[in-house]
């Protein structure tokens, strides 16, 4: 029952602690609508709770030194500069330097820019621009009671140990409701599937509701089409694909699962439907999503294959799990060393499983499905393998990619932000007293991390932008 | 720990009726209102004693939303017992019992023991389904019935244990073929030892792996 276990202590590293008050939690109610007056009913946390650097106050996914890697601040600053440059010239980078972009996603998107980068990678940014006002319109409508009822029932059951979602009726839960409800209105024939909620919640941890909505739309329609449709055929097909790929990656694990008649949906449903957001330590979730949104579903397959290979790939390990239940138990309590950020990312990158492999197995599993179970009921649109394919399918205009910060920071260094690009650049040069001819204006970061020193970011961004146009990768942190 | 028998259970029923809470109350003896939604499957295990015999229960807890129904079916395979749960404060969860029952009967072995559970009995003031209605439904469909509260732990032990007793009786009557694992029952090392004059348990028989 690893899932329901509360915090493994509050062992976040000293350097990454942030003390944030979560007073909202004092008005929490339980599943039956009773108010809590004391925190003792919430696993003994006090009202002044310490969150880790991701906002978790407990749960198995919290930050720990064992599970995450630390990037030196100067490397992070450089990366931020490079990412700002990419975001400012997104179409060019996509068209001509996609490989490098992929590499940078593999290295990890800087936390301060992750939300924006995800929105660009997923094509959610373009969708948002092309459908201005759409979210607002959906948001203002009342949803179908059939879906609204289930969504409301689920709100307090998504990342209950994350500060954003722990308070009943708090801003996180409200936004989650808005995003999920909007989706049911956007795709009434699909409605709401419970596994969409964690996906939306992860997005909401990084971006405002409207952006998260478009991110969700892209994931549901382009990255994982059919996953959340009635009948769950797509996820079952992917289970077959995973199992077929495993045969090559780890014949031993494959044989074991086959011997114990382990239908893939027994162990891969939550992994795939939630894109591992409820399985891995948080640092790894973020890295997996960085790559997933850039490269597509093959990353999800690779994570699954790596975990299966690591957990079931040797005779030694199999000796202790002679049975379906024991195997399930093993796969529910994956050894933390295999999920550790650095280890996992390396394994994912090195695993030779390509889009082509997946497509080939996809055809084979559809064929088998038709032979054994007849026609598929749900005709999902074809799957897009990553950011480049999505952009190629629906080419955006230059305007669609323009950055328009949603929050303008009124600080002495950030005045006149909302002017024309030219104006902004000029201001900047004056302020900095530098002759910097970067073609890329720097937009204010709409979602600054609390620890992010934004003035510093701006300066290095300008310098970095020049460098990165011609640079090779300097940092070797993976 | 050695056991005489191992029974596989599944818990089914609409979303939000308290399936995961029942399981947690039974395995860990605690109620946790704040927990993650079940997607796919969760599970737990506990040892109980019936007729002086140690019995290990392996319990699979499933996702309740209708769209997961198609995959919940694969969990039924090899289950000896099922807890079919509804929420006494939500009439609709009671109304859906028939479809759950059809599903269960269709995808499990015919001897599977089904216990009907009306959960959240602590919320008397919000009750929408009378106890008599639950009893009548159970009678009509040949199920055992209990009202429970995962919050106060009322009847939770009894629900799991009475189901096990029923399965145990069926074994004694010879209804279950215990050598066929598809029935959701395994004979453990302890049983093998008591039935044999040879001491100890055979290594190959140790299906449980001793973990609980």
């Amino acid at each position: 029952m690893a899932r329901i276990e509360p915090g493994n202590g509050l062992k976040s590293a000293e350097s990454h602690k942030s003390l944030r008050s979560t007073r909202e939690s004092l008005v929490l109610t339980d599943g039956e609508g009773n108010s809590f007056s004391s925190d003792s009913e919430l696993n003994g946390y006090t009202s002044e709770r310490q969150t880790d650097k991701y906002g978790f106050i407990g749960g198995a996914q919290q930050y720990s030194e064992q599970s995450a890697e630390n990037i030196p601040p100067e490397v992070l600053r450089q990366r931020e500069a490079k990412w700002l440059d990419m975001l400012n010239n997104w179409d060019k980078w996509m068209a001509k330097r996609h490989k490098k972009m992929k590499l940078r996603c593999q290295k990890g998107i800087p936390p301060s820019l992750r939300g924006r980068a995800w929105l660009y990678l997923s094509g959610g940014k373009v969708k948002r621009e092309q459908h201005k006002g759409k979210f607002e319109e959906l948001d203002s409508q009342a949803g179908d009671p059939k879906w609204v009822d289930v969504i409301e029932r689920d709100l307090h059951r998504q990342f209950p140990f994350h500060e954003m979602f722990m308070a009943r009726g708090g801003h996180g839960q409200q936004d989650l409701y808005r995003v999920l409800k909007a989706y049911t209105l956007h795709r009434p024939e699909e409605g709401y599937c419970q596994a969409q909620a964690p996906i939306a919640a992860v997005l909401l941890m990084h971006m405002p509701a409207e952006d998260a909505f478009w991110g969700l739309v892209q994931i549901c329609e382009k990255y994982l089409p059919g996953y959340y449709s009635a009948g769950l055929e797509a996820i079952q097909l992917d289970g077959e694909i995973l199992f077929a790929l495993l045969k090559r990656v780890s014949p031993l694990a494959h044989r074991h699962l086959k011997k114990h008649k382990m239908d893939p949906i027994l162990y891969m449903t939550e992994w795939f439907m939630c894109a591992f957001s409820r399985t891995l330590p948080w640092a790894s979730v973020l890295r997996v999503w960085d790559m997933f949104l850039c490269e597509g579903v093959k990353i999800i397959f690779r994570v699954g294959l790596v975990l299966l290979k690591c957990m079931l790939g040797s005779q030694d390990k199999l000796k202790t799990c002679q049975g379906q239940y024991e195997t399930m138990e093993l796969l529910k309590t994956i050894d933390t060393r295999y999920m550790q950020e650095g280890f996992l990312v390396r394994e994912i990158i090195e695993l030779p499983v390509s889009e082509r492999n997946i497509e080939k197995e996809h055809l084979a599993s559809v064929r088998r499905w038709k032979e054994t179970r007849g026609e598929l009921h749900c005709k999902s649109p074809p799957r897009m393998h990553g950011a480049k394919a999505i952009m190629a399918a629906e080419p955006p205009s230059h305007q669609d990619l323009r950055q328009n910060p949603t929050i303008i920071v009124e600080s002495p260094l950030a005045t006149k932000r909302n002017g024309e690009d030219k104006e902004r650049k000029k201001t900047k040069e004056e302020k900095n007293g530098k002759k910097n001819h970067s073609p890329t204006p720097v937009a204010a970061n709409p979602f600054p991390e609390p620890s992010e020193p934004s003035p510093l970011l701006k300066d290095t961004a300008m310098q970095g932008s020049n460098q990165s146009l011609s640079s090779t990768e300097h940092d070797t942190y993976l | 720990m050695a056991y005489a028998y191992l029974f596989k259970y599944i818990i089914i029923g609409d979303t939000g009726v308290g399936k995961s809470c029942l399981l947690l109350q039974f395995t860990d003896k605690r109620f946790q209102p704040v927990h993650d939604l079940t997607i796919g499957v969760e599970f737990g295990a506990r040892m109980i004693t019936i007729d002086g015999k140690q019995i290990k229960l392996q319990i699979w807890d499933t996702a309740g939303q209708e769209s997961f129904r198609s995959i919940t079916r694969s969990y039924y395979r090899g289950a000896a017992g099922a807890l079919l749960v509804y929420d006494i404060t939500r009439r609709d969860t009671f109304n859906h019992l028939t479809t759950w029952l059809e599903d269960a009967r269709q995808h499990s072995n015919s001897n599977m023991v089904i216990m009907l559970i009306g959960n959240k009995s602590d919320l008397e003031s919000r009750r929408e389904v009378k106890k008599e209605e639950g009893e009548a439904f159970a009678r009509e469909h040949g199920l055992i019935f209990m009202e429970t509260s995962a919050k106060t732990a009322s009847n939770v032990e009894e629900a799991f244990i009475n189901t096990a007793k029923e399965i145990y009786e069926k074994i004694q009557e010879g209804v279950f073929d215990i050598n066929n694992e598809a029935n959701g029952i395994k004979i453990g090392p302890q049983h093998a030892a008591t039935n044999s004059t040879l001491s100890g348990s055979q290594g190959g028989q140790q299906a449980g792996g001793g973990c609980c």
Side-chain angles (χ1 to χ4, degrees):
Chain A
M1 296 301 298
R3 168 82 46 234
I4 312 182
E5 222 62 55
N8 300 345
L10 294 164
K11 286 186 294 184
S12 53
E14 287 300 320
S15 56
H16 292 284
K17 271 181 184 166
S18 69
L19 192 64
R20 283 179 244 173
S21 164
T22 50
R23 284 191 199 86
E24 283 169 318
S25 62
L26 293 173
V27 294
L28 267 174
T29 56
D30 68 10
E32 275 76 45
N34 305 318
S35 292
F36 288 171
S37 54
S38 106
D39 285 291
S40 61
E41 289 181 72
L42 263 178
N43 313 315
Y45 296 111
T46 56
S47 59
E48 286 287 321
R49 289 180 188 129
Q50 274 180 339
T51 61
D52 69 358
K53 61 175 171 175
Y54 310 115
F56 285 95
I57 56 149
Q61 293 184 289
Q62 264 200 318
Y63 173 85
S64 73
E65 270 183 279
Q66 295 81 37
S67 66
E69 296 197 316
N70 280 318
I71 305 285
E74 57 281 8
V75 175
L76 256 189
R77 295 290 95 82
Q78 284 169 12
R79 288 186 180 176
E80 281 163 349
K82 291 174 182 175
W83 271 94
L84 281 170
D85 176 53
M86 286 200 292
L87 289 163
N88 281 322
N89 300 285
W90 194 254
D91 43 352
K92 286 189 201 116
W93 275 88
M94 276 297 223
K96 298 196 177 109
R97 311 198 62 190
H98 182 256
K99 263 199 178 144
K100 176 145 284 179
M101 183 186 277
K102 189 172 101 180
L103 187 69
R104 287 178 178 173
C105 288
Q106 290 176 348
K107 287 187 168 197
I109 301 171
S112 59
L113 293 166
R114 185 166 265 131
R116 236 196 295 178
W118 283 1
L119 194 64
Y120 272 73
L121 286 166
S122 66
K125 158 79 175 150
V126 173
K127 271 275 155 73
R128 188 189 76 190
E129 298 302 327
Q130 291 176 350
H131 301 87
K132 277 213 173 86
K134 175 83 178 167
F135 177 72
E136 213 174 316
E137 179 198 319
L138 298 171
D139 196 28
S140 66
Q141 293 173 31
D144 182 339
K146 176 172 92 170
W147 300 124
V148 168
D149 187 49
V150 193
I151 294 171
E152 280 177 342
R153 213 177 292 288
D154 287 352
L155 293 176
H156 71 292
R157 300 194 281 174
Q158 312 300 333
F159 298 108
F161 297 111
H162 192 277
E163 60 173 356
M164 215 175 134
F165 297 102
M166 47 192 267
R168 179 65 73 112
H171 69 98
Q173 291 193 11
Q174 280 176 33
D175 281 350
L176 187 57
Y177 172 78
R178 295 170 63 205
V179 169
L180 295 171
K181 188 204 73 184
Y183 189 85
T184 64
L185 290 160
H186 177 66
R187 292 271 174 257
E189 71 285 4
E190 279 199 29
Y192 164 67
C193 170
Q194 291 184 315
Q196 285 173 309
I199 299 278
V202 175
L203 292 169
L204 279 169
M205 290 178 200
H206 295 88
M207 56 189 83
E210 181 178 12
D211 294 359
F213 168 74
W214 290 113
L216 178 68
V217 168
Q218 292 297 92
I219 290 174
C220 298
E221 292 175 4
K222 304 292 198 302
Y223 289 83
L224 308 172
Y227 266 31
Y228 311 105
S229 310
L232 303 185
E233 289 171 339
I235 194 79
Q236 295 179 63
L237 282 171
D238 275 5
E240 299 298 322
I241 297 172
L242 178 74
F243 192 57
L245 293 170
L246 183 66
K247 193 170 187 176
R248 191 160 51 82
V249 173
S250 175
L252 208 59
H254 183 268
R255 204 177 324 134
H256 177 82
L257 293 172
K258 195 168 180 176
K259 182 177 152 197
H260 294 288
K261 300 195 180 77
M262 301 266 304
D263 191 325
I265 60 161
L266 289 178
Y267 52 85
M268 58 76 76
T269 306
E270 184 182 0
W271 288 358
F272 276 52
M273 289 188 93
C274 306
F276 288 98
S277 64
R278 305 205 322 170
T279 307
L280 305 171
W282 205 251
S284 305
V285 170
L286 297 173
R287 296 289 298 278
V288 164
W289 277 51
D290 289 347
M291 294 187 281
F292 165 56
L293 292 174
C294 179
E295 299 179 59
V297 77
K298 76 171 171 211
I299 298 298
I300 303 297
F301 277 99
R302 288 188 193 176
V303 180
L305 291 165
V306 167
L307 296 182
L308 288 170
K309 183 184 80 174
C310 289
M311 292 305 288
L312 305 171
S314 78
Q315 289 290 6
D316 232 27
K317 286 169 183 141
L318 298 184
K319 260 188 228 151
T320 56
C321 74
Q322 288 303 317
Q324 197 183 68
Y325 184 85
E326 289 73 16
T327 307
M328 281 296 287
E329 213 166 32
L330 200 66
L331 292 177
K332 271 278 179 181
T333 48
I334 293 165
D335 204 327
T336 41
R337 74 193 137 128
Y338 301 132
M339 302 192 288
Q340 192 269 341
E341 185 184 351
F343 173 84
L344 183 64
V345 169
R346 264 191 308 279
E347 291 284 318
I348 294 167
I349 294 169
E350 282 166 17
L351 196 72
V353 167
S354 66
E355 287 140 40
R356 194 189 294 230
N357 298 141
I358 292 171
E359 285 306 323
K360 194 176 146 227
E361 292 300 341
H362 179 81
L363 289 177
S365 60
V366 169
R367 201 172 51 236
R368 275 196 303 273
W369 182 290
K370 285 181 178 167
E371 281 165 13
T372 55
R373 312 200 211 181
E375 279 300 310
L376 287 156
H377 295 289
C378 182
K379 299 270 179 275
S380 310
R383 176 145 58 192
M384 303 262 176
H385 289 279
K388 194 168 181 173
I390 291 170
M391 192 157 165
E394 292 167 3
S397 72
H398 198 64
Q399 191 64 27
D400 295 336
L401 293 169
R402 226 176 96 113
Q403 299 198 63
N404 27 14
T406 50
I407 298 172
I408 315 292
V409 184
E410 290 296 339
S411 80
L413 281 164
T415 48
K416 297 187 182 175
R417 276 280 139 127
N418 41 1
E420 278 300 297
D421 284 358
K422 258 185 191 169
E423 174 102 9
R424 252 194 273 176
K425 206 165 72 185
K426 223 166 140 191
T427 318
K428 205 163 228 337
E429 279 168 28
E430 282 162 15
K431 290 264 177 222
N432 294 344
K434 281 181 209 158
K435 287 211 162 77
N436 196 331
H437 294 286
S438 161
T440 54
V442 182
N445 174 14
F447 318 115
E449 297 261 307
S451 60
E452 230 58 68
S454 47
L456 176 66
L457 167 67
K458 264 186 296 168
D459 282 355
T460 49
M462 295 305 285
Q463 291 151 9
S465 150
N466 280 347
Q467 285 164 10
S468 68
L469 285 175
S470 58
S471 73
T472 51
E473 296 297 296
H474 295 302
D475 75 77
T476 51
Y477 295 89
L478 196 63
Chain B
M1 203 155 93
Y3 54 81
Y5 291 106
L6 183 150
F7 298 163
K8 179 182 164 181
Y9 281 14
I10 54 164
I11 312 184
I12 52 174
D14 275 9
T15 180
V17 297
K19 298 183 291 297
S20 300
C21 289
L22 280 168
L23 174 60
L24 191 69
Q25 184 59 262
F26 180 66
T27 57
D28 289 33
K29 296 193 192 312
R30 63 195 170 93
F31 176 64
Q32 194 172 343
V34 178
H35 63 90
D36 272 324
L37 171 77
T38 307
I39 292 169
V41 68
E42 299 286 336
F43 38 80
R46 209 187 108 182
M47 204 72 97
I48 58 168
T49 310
I50 288 175
D51 196 17
K53 292 207 166 61
Q54 292 281 86
I55 293 176
K56 184 173 174 174
L57 300 183
Q58 262 180 10
I59 307 142
W60 299 59
D61 166 30
T62 59
Q65 199 189 12
E66 193 167 346
S67 54
F68 286 91
R69 209 64 80 84
S70 59
I71 62 170
T72 306
R73 285 168 191 149
S74 59
Y75 305 130
Y76 288 110
R77 198 172 52 201
L83 306 188
L84 170 55
V85 189
Y86 68 93
D87 175 352
I88 64 150
T89 71
R90 278 164 60 209
R91 167 72 53 184
D92 56 324
T93 66
F94 182 76
N95 294 342
H96 295 155
L97 289 176
T98 323
T99 41
W100 278 112
L101 203 56
E102 274 168 18
D103 244 32
R105 291 255 156 89
Q106 192 183 340
H107 296 94
S108 64
N109 75 74
S110 54
N111 291 317
M112 184 168 80
V113 173
I114 304 175
M115 160 76 84
L116 178 67
I117 290 181
N119 192 34
K120 307 196 187 178
S121 63
D122 54 294
L123 300 176
E124 192 56 49
S125 62
R126 285 162 52 194
R127 178 188 285 276
E128 286 184 9
V129 184
K130 285 199 209 99
K131 193 175 178 186
E132 294 73 36
E133 293 177 87
E135 283 167 349
F137 186 92
R139 219 172 19 247
E140 191 184 328
H141 294 92
L143 318 173
I144 351 173
F145 173 70
M146 279 195 128
E147 283 197 349
T148 62
S149 164
K151 190 175 185 176
T152 66
S154 157
N155 271 348
V156 174
E157 290 273 313
E158 290 80 354
F160 284 88
I161 290 171
N162 290 355
T163 309
K165 279 184 185 158
E166 186 98 355
I167 297 169
Y168 185 76
E169 275 166 28
K170 282 197 177 185
I171 295 173
Q172 302 299 310
E173 291 162 12
V175 178
F176 269 121
D177 174 10
I178 48 175
N179 295 314
N180 181 358
E181 257 189 47
N183 284 329
I185 297 165
K186 269 195 220 174
I187 307 175
Q190 198 189 61
H191 192 275
T194 53
N195 277 1
S196 162
T197 47
L198 296 167
S199 63
S201 54
Q202 290 78 21
Q205 269 281 66
Q206 279 204 351
C211 51
C212 179

